[in-house]
Amino acid sequence: MQYLFTILFILGFMAFFVFIVLMVLSIRKHNRIPIKHVLLTAACFAIASIGMYGMLALPSNTPQSSGTEHTEKQESGAVTTEEDHAPLTQTNASGFHMTTEEFKNKFNGAVGKYRLNGLSITRLNMKDSSEQGTGAFEYVFNDKLRLVGTLNSDQKVQEVRFYGTGDVSEPTGGIFLTAIATLILTTNNEYTYNDAQNVIQDIGILDRDVSQSNFDEATVRNGFEYRFSVQDHDQSTFEITVAK
């Protein structure tokens, strides 16, 4: 059907063009244009218009091919699920799939994108681990905020944790919440700052009093577990680990 409309458009347009040229020549020679000539020109224009409309209205062969491939996949026994169309931020239990340098660059990228002043990482302090083939790193932002992370045997980031020191009788806020949002953005390339705030909201930090020594809540997004807890009397912890 697509070819039929294409032929109609080409023939109609060519005939319309010829009749237009003849009409122009007749006008220049001061000859009278027959009504039949005008009607034929209008008919050719209508045919060309129908052909163009059909070409635009009918789907191209590309989606049909995709549908065929999808059918062949089903016939071969492949099962398509929602996980097959999951975003690239999905992970498995092996870790964050990023080195410490990649982690630092992504963290600083989020800081620069959203102009989160005072949170840039200059150089991570690497630490030896007692376990063979693993390691850890640390970065101190100030006397009230510290970042700690661990590596797996492939030297990729396994988990990260923020330690916030201060009076837990006061609601969590300020630079600690901003740092938490930045860390969430670091683990999800497709997240916006609003998405990070939604994760914080799911944990319960924003909609309830977290000034309790037994506060410990978590939420799972895209294969990661985000957990916030209050420890002792002056320390709060936010950690991101691979969900089990």
Side-chain angles (χ1 to χ4, degrees), residues 82-153:
E82 293 182 358
E83 292 180 357
D84 293 330
H85 304 285
L88 295 178
T89 50
Q90 292 279 351
T91 62
N92 54 38
S94 62
F96 290 9
H97 301 291
M98 66 177 82
T99 63
T100 53
E101 186 67 19
E102 291 170 336
F103 170 81
K104 184 189 75 172
N105 292 338
K106 287 185 178 182
F107 187 94
N108 288 340
V111 170
K113 180 177 181 179
Y114 294 99
R115 300 180 181 179
L116 307 175
N117 299 330
L119 282 176
S120 294
I121 298 175
T122 54
R123 186 174 65 87
L124 293 171
N125 181 22
M126 303 304 299
K127 294 185 175 183
D128 295 330
S129 175
S130 57
E131 298 181 14
Q132 184 177 3
T134 63
F137 58 90
E138 180 185 49
Y139 187 81
V140 178
F141 293 91
N142 52 52
D143 57 351
K144 294 184 178 181
L145 182 62
R146 182 167 59 100
L147 170 69
V148 174
T150 59
L151 305 177
N152 59 22
S153 58

Side-chain angles (χ1 to χ4, degrees), residues 56-57 76 88 90 112 158 173-174 197 202 205 207 224 244:
L56 296 176
S76 64
L88 295 178
Q90 292 279 351
Q158 181 66 29
Q197 288 183 320
D202 287 347
I205 302 176
D207 60 359
F224 290 111
K244 297 179 180 180

Side-chain angles (χ1 to χ4, degrees), residues 13-80:
F13 180 79
M14 292 177 62
F16 172 74
F17 179 77
V18 171
F19 281 118
I20 286 292
V21 171
L22 293 177
M23 289 176 64
V24 172
L25 293 176
S26 296
I27 293 174
R28 294 183 62 180
K29 293 179 179 180
H30 303 287
N31 293 333
R32 183 179 178 181
I33 301 175
I35 297 298
K36 182 179 179 180
H37 191 110
V38 175
L39 293 177
L40 288 174
T41 304
C44 292
F45 177 78
I47 293 173
S49 299
I50 293 172
M52 176 175 288
Y53 176 79
M55 291 169 57
L56 296 176
L58 288 179
S60 63
N61 292 330
T62 302
Q64 295 174 357
S65 298
S66 299
T68 303
E69 292 174 0
H70 180 71
T71 302
E72 290 175 353
K73 182 179 179 181
Q74 290 181 327
E75 292 177 351
S76 64
V79 179
T80 302

Side-chain angles (χ1 to χ4, degrees), residues 180-198:
I180 289 174
T182 308
L183 197 57
I184 295 172
L185 290 170
T186 303
T187 59
N188 292 275
N189 294 331
E190 299 177 357
Y191 269 21
T192 65
Y193 198 81
N194 288 336
D195 294 322
Q197 288 183 320
N198 289 337

